[in-house]
Amino acid sequence: LADGIWTIPSDITKTRKEHKKPLSTQALTILNELRELTGDAELLFPSIRSRARPISDATTNAALRRLGYKQTEASSHGFRATASTFLNESGKWSADAIERELGHIEANEIRRAYHRADHWRERVKMTQWWADECDRLRKQKKT
């Protein structure tokens, strides 16, 4: 994570292809603070059943329930839909960059065969904008 990139291995993605995600400065700060608590463990969020496996979405969903959110109100996967909606509605980012950031593949087979751009520079800017926007919304709620 020192390089600001999170690499998701191919064996855990739906597309079965490695997926790289740029990290915002806020995410890097949080992950570095967490690393201070976890030490040199391979995973920052290990499963309680096996330290070699990461927590599952069921774990994060259970945490949301303990925080008081009902299943119909919030889910870990739902945060992806929220981000996609905000990013698309902002009008600042191309739909292709948003879809690549979400790790989606092109539905149109012909376009998928030819369109292989990862839109990396735009995704880096978009990721930082999204983190800044989340900070802005959080601060706005406090006032």
Side-chain angles (χ1 to χ4, degrees), residues 21-102:
K21 297 184 68 58
L23 297 172
S24 67
T25 56
Q26 293 92 324
L28 286 170
T29 298
I30 291 167
L31 292 172
N32 286 326
E33 289 172 1
L34 182 59
R35 177 64 72 199
E36 290 177 18
L37 298 172
T38 61
D40 291 331
E42 184 177 338
L43 299 173
L44 292 173
F45 300 100
S47 166
I48 60 171
R49 292 194 176 97
S50 168
R51 306 290 293 162
R53 295 185 59 204
I55 61 172
S56 68
D57 59 340
T59 302
T60 54
N61 284 332
L64 288 168
R65 302 303 155 255
R66 285 191 299 277
L67 289 170
Y69 292 98
K70 297 177 186 152
Q71 199 168 2
T72 56
E73 294 176 318
S75 69
S76 56
H77 194 77
F79 291 120
R80 289 169 51 88
T82 299
S84 176
T85 300
F86 268 78
L87 293 168
N88 278 291
E89 286 188 347
S90 76
K92 296 176 177 293
W93 317 106
S94 71
D96 284 337
I98 295 167
E99 291 303 301
R100 290 299 186 276
E101 183 59 22
L102 293 170

Side-chain angles (χ1 to χ4, degrees), residues 3-9 13 15 17-28 80 83-84 87-88 90 92-105 115-132:
D3 59 1
I5 300 170
W6 174 25
T7 302
I8 304 168
T13 67
T15 62
K17 292 180 180 179
E18 181 181 270
H19 183 60
K20 292 186 181 291
K21 297 184 68 58
L23 297 172
S24 67
T25 56
Q26 293 92 324
L28 286 170
R80 289 169 51 88
S84 176
L87 293 168
N88 278 291
S90 76
K92 296 176 177 293
W93 317 106
S94 71
D96 284 337
I98 295 167
E99 291 303 301
R100 290 299 186 276
E101 183 59 22
L102 293 170
H104 293 162
I105 59 169
H115 182 66
R116 297 181 185 162
D118 65 3
H119 302 272
W120 186 256
R121 284 188 297 260
E122 184 176 6
R123 289 172 51 209
V124 168
K125 291 177 186 173
M126 180 173 60
T127 298
Q128 188 58 55
W129 178 87
W130 174 241
D132 293 342

